[in-house]
Amino acid sequence: MDFGVTGKLGGYYLVEQYRKNVAADKNGGASFVELAAAKAAGKTENVSFKEMLKSKYPEAYYNVMDTSKIDGFLWGRNDYPWDKYFSNNVDDSVLNWKPSGAEPDMQSPAVRAKMNAMLGKISVVIPPALEERMKNNTELTQKVMERMDSFLLSNSTPGENEGFLMTFDENGEINHACVVGELKFTVSSSEFVEARRAREAKHAEYERLAEEAALKRRLMELEDAYMLGSRG
């Protein structure tokens, strides 16, 4: 499925409009629905994921670290430091974060301040193993970018100022995410993994049924051929 603008003019316009709006401090610039539609101008072969990311989302934050061991329950707490990922030099302490007390209410000043700090921004975290695999695999690089674009499109509300945090596993799948808006706040972890496993299981079942159907048709063809031969 293509979520992008096919013409270079559309890509140039949206990226430039984003830059101008950020400079003018207009709530973070163009909506991320529009930004997700912006295509990077020029060829995509032999282009790193970071280069592709920056060409489409110039202000996006990019970090390389393995978030696979972050507990989904901790990721979902209101006091988890998602805002720390909105930097180009994230401290590794976020990977081992532990709560220091009771979970604060979502409407508490500290939580609201953290959410407001994420508005109008995008942050992407890639594990070292995936970054290494993408160096010589253009197809994988493009797939990861497509998954990011798809996530932004499906979780964006046109006209709203929002913030997005996505972390990927070594296979290029989103394993943690956080979406914050002026009127919404959602975090997800295990459901991404479970949803992928469900899709893979369903695909495997379809393939098994298709193989069984093909084998059944072949046996029927052989049986018909045998019956015709015996009559002759």
Side-chain angles (χ1 to χ4, degrees):
M1 183 178 295
D2 184 9
F3 294 104
V5 175
T6 56
K8 289 186 178 181
L9 181 61
Y12 276 123
Y13 171 77
L14 292 174
V15 172
E16 287 304 313
Q17 188 63 42
Y18 175 70
R19 290 182 176 135
K20 291 177 182 178
N21 286 344
V22 169
D25 194 26
K26 295 181 179 179
N27 294 323
S31 75
F32 285 114
V33 173
E34 293 175 321
L35 289 174
K39 285 289 187 180
K43 67 177 184 178
T44 58
E45 291 188 13
N46 299 320
V47 175
S48 71
F49 178 80
K50 183 177 181 180
E51 290 172 328
M52 191 180 297
L53 173 71
K54 290 294 186 176
S55 69
K56 298 181 74 173
Y57 309 99
E59 303 299 322
Y61 295 100
Y62 177 80
N63 284 280
V64 179
M65 56 175 55
D66 186 359
T67 62
S68 62
K69 293 184 179 180
I70 295 178
D71 184 271
F73 173 77
L74 294 181
W75 179 272
R77 281 179 59 104
N78 291 332
D79 48 356
Y80 185 84
W82 308 287
D83 57 320
K84 300 299 183 183
Y85 291 93
F86 290 82
S87 165
N88 287 320
N89 296 290
V90 180
D91 190 322
D92 286 347
S93 63
V94 294
L95 302 177
N96 302 307
W97 178 86
K98 295 292 187 297
S100 58
E103 183 177 11
D105 185 86
M106 186 178 294
Q107 299 303 321
S108 68
V111 175
R112 296 304 305 179
K114 177 174 59 178
M115 293 168 61
N116 289 337
M118 298 159 59
L119 290 174
K121 302 174 183 178
I122 296 178
S123 179
V124 181
V125 182
I126 299 291
L130 177 60
E131 186 180 57
E132 186 65 27
R133 288 177 59 196
M134 288 193 293
K135 286 181 179 179
N136 300 308
N137 192 330
T138 302
E139 183 179 357
L140 176 60
T141 301
Q142 292 175 337
K143 282 184 177 180
V144 173
M145 181 58 69
E146 287 170 3
R147 286 167 185 154
M148 176 180 165
D149 287 345
S150 178
F151 179 85
L152 290 173
L153 281 169
S154 60
N155 289 278
S156 298
T157 302
E160 284 195 15
N161 188 24
E162 300 168 309
F164 299 89
L165 166 60
M166 290 155 283
T167 76
F168 288 80
D169 62 21
E170 63 179 12
N171 296 314
E173 299 280 357
I174 296 176
N175 59 356
H176 298 289
C178 177
V179 179
V180 58
E182 295 170 325
L183 300 175
K184 70 177 180 180
F185 177 61
T186 58
V187 292
S188 302
S189 286
S190 59
E191 54 262 47
F192 285 114
V193 178
E194 294 303 320
R196 186 181 74 246
R197 288 175 179 170
R199 290 196 302 270
E200 290 173 349
K202 183 177 292 186
H203 181 69
E205 178 64 11
Y206 286 153
E207 288 188 338
R208 185 185 66 80
L209 292 174
E211 289 177 358
E212 288 184 354
L215 178 59
K216 185 176 181 180
R217 286 195 300 271
R218 180 56 179 163
L219 290 174
M220 292 178 65
E221 291 171 357
L222 290 173
E223 184 177 350
D224 289 343
Y226 174 80
M227 293 298 293
L228 289 174
S230 62
R231 291 174 184 173

